[in-house]
Amino acid sequence: MMTRKSRVKSHLLNLRFFLFRRFPLTKAVFRFLFLISAFSALFYLLCKTSIPSWLILTEIVLQHPVLRSRRRLYSTMVAGSRPRTEISLAGTFASSAFAACFAELCTIPLDTAKVRLQIQKKAASGAGVVSPKYRGMLGTVATIAREEGAAALWKGIIPGLHRQCLYGGLRIGLYEPVKTFYVGNDFVGDVPLSKKILAALTTGALAITVANPTDLVKVRLQAEGKLSPGVPRRYFGALNAYSTIIRQEGLGALWTGLGPNIARNAIINAAELASYDQVKQTILNIPGFTDNVFTHLLAGLGAGFFAVCIGSPVDVVKSRMMGDSTYKSTLDCFIKTLKNDGPLAFYKGFIPNFGRLGSWNVIMFLTLEQTKKRFMREV
């Protein structure tokens, strides 16, 4: 005779399977909410055991035989009832641009904090070195919100969205076609990691060459802090910034910092897309894992971590060159930063950078995977 607990569990599983069958798009969202709910319900008991709680949670949620049988049944049903699908280049670009813009909107406060930390220099006074104004990710966010208002955390959001429409759409949308170009249309099997890196380097460099003006305006708006009374602002918005820069500095000024920006974005793009592709492929080769939201979550975190570790030095140089026009070249900025602030300056803002890029990649890839399904067509 089934207990009340067993009946409730059975009803929940049947409801879950019914939703997956009737509304396939809810599969990823429902599973993510299920993970969160399971963690919340079991945390109190798990944290008191001698075995790490995350291992128990993974075993219960992902390896439970009932859930595994449900996943296999659902996968078999979907594979047998749906024809093969593909997505067009325009659909890939549109879904990539949307996912990148959504991630940018959610994480730009962390990006603003990162830029302020990166352009912050050591200040000297007669009594010695003055304490830095900004300290840590949360401290920087709190300081900006207290002194300039919470809206200041979204400074640069308009050019940021301009940037993601161009840069995000191009670098992600062209990744698969360029990867196919490098390996050939007749290639069969897993694409080598070297080809993934080469494809991501190519699309990152091409995309940022087009989108550099939007990046420049975004950084300048983010870098402008609270001004002293009577000091006018340099820019009154994104469109005003574009016109002011062209009028005062010339059209070519919109491509200031293009060298380090190409280096930074090509490297970070390779770290993000190639590592996401590789981590996802590796996870899917592990028994029990499927192409679901949990896999996308792990792969997105891995992509963000690799991107920050590899791209932080060029990111600092790029931010300083765009925020301060006194540097003569990329090499001049690198040397002065190293001389005045030391080698650790190239990893200034590492924590907010990882907090931003890690969360950005998770949000972007989760959104991208779901949005692409809307543009899939039967073949």
Side-chain angles (χ1 to χ4, degrees):
M1 183 176 180
M2 294 181 65
T3 64
R4 182 179 179 182
K5 181 178 180 181
S6 300
R7 287 197 302 271
V8 171
K9 183 177 181 181
S10 177
H11 290 323
L12 287 175
L13 289 175
N14 288 332
L15 175 62
R16 183 168 174 260
F17 180 64
F18 173 77
L19 289 173
F20 290 173
R21 183 174 60 185
R22 293 293 301 275
F23 309 103
L25 192 62
T26 65
K27 177 173 179 277
V29 177
F30 193 87
R31 181 166 294 173
F32 179 71
L33 294 176
F34 179 78
L35 287 171
I36 297 299
S37 300
F39 178 80
S40 300
L42 297 175
F43 178 76
Y44 178 75
L45 295 176
L46 296 178
C47 67
K48 290 188 174 183
T49 63
S50 57
I51 304 175
S53 60
W54 68 272
L55 288 176
I56 302 176
L57 182 64
T58 302
E59 182 66 23
I60 292 174
V61 176
L62 298 179
Q63 303 302 327
H64 194 284
V66 176
L67 298 185
R68 291 176 68 179
S69 65
R70 297 285 184 177
R71 290 200 303 270
R72 284 196 299 268
L73 180 59
Y74 175 79
S75 299
T76 303
M77 179 190 67
V78 172
S81 61
R82 290 184 179 177
R84 188 169 62 89
T85 58
E86 68 176 20
I87 185 171
S88 65
L89 181 61
T92 304
F93 176 85
S95 56
S96 301
F98 174 78
C101 287
F102 181 70
E104 185 76 7
L105 187 65
C106 293
T107 61
I108 197 169
L110 297 177
D111 189 52
T112 301
K114 179 209 72 173
V115 169
R116 296 287 182 93
L117 286 169
Q118 286 178 335
I119 65 175
Q120 181 173 250
K121 304 175 185 178
K122 290 182 179 178
S125 67
V129 178
V130 177
S131 298
K133 180 179 181 180
Y134 301 115
R135 289 181 177 272
M137 177 180 64
L138 296 180
T140 303
V141 169
T143 300
I144 295 172
R146 183 176 63 253
E147 294 185 352
E148 306 169 40
L153 293 169
W154 274 267
K155 275 185 176 180
I157 185 59
I158 300 301
L161 295 178
H162 295 167
R163 177 184 185 272
Q164 292 304 335
C165 281
L166 289 174
Y167 176 66
L170 288 173
R171 74 181 181 102
I172 302 169
L174 293 176
Y175 174 69
E176 289 296 334
V178 172
K179 186 172 66 173
T180 302
F181 171 78
Y182 282 134
V183 299
N185 292 325
D186 299 328
F187 181 84
V188 178
D190 293 335
V191 177
L193 179 59
S194 59
K195 299 296 184 182
K196 296 175 182 177
I197 294 174
L198 183 60
L201 286 171
T202 303
T203 60
L206 290 174
I208 200 57
T209 301
V210 176
N212 194 84
T214 62
D215 210 9
L216 175 76
V217 171
K218 173 191 165 191
V219 170
R220 289 202 178 182
L221 289 176
Q222 287 178 318
E224 190 173 53
K226 185 177 181 180
L227 302 175
S228 302
V231 178
R233 289 193 174 276
R234 289 195 298 173
Y235 313 116
F236 296 96
L239 296 180
N240 176 257
Y242 288 120
S243 61
T244 302
I245 292 171
I246 293 174
R247 184 175 66 254
Q248 295 180 353
E249 305 174 43
L251 181 63
L254 290 174
W255 277 266
T256 299
L258 180 62
N261 215 12
I262 288 179
R264 181 254 185 192
N265 286 280
I267 291 171
I268 290 182
N269 193 51
E272 285 180 354
L273 296 185
S275 64
Y276 180 83
D277 203 353
Q278 189 70 23
V279 170
K280 181 180 174 182
Q281 176 185 309
T282 302
I283 293 174
L284 291 177
N285 290 332
I286 300 175
F289 284 91
T290 58
D291 190 4
N292 56 25
V293 69
F294 187 68
T295 299
H296 304 157
L297 177 67
L298 293 178
L301 283 173
F305 179 75
F306 283 114
V308 177
C309 290
I310 295 172
S312 188
V314 289
D315 190 37
V316 171
V317 172
K318 184 267 298 185
S319 293
R320 291 200 172 195
M321 285 194 69
M322 288 185 169
D324 189 347
S325 59
T326 59
Y327 296 111
K328 299 177 181 178
S329 63
T330 304
L331 182 61
D332 178 59
C333 181
F334 181 86
I335 293 174
K336 287 182 177 179
T337 301
L338 181 64
K339 180 180 178 181
N340 297 331
D341 300 319
L344 292 180
F346 294 108
Y347 284 89
K348 271 189 174 183
F350 182 88
I351 298 301
N353 203 7
F354 174 67
R356 191 257 176 179
L357 266 183
S359 58
W360 192 95
N361 276 275
V362 169
I363 295 172
M364 193 279 291
F365 282 116
L366 286 176
T367 306
L368 177 65
E369 296 280 4
Q370 297 303 309
T371 307
K372 284 171 67 176
K373 295 178 182 179
R374 291 293 186 181
F375 291 91
M376 290 289 185
R377 62 187 180 188
E378 298 179 1
V379 294

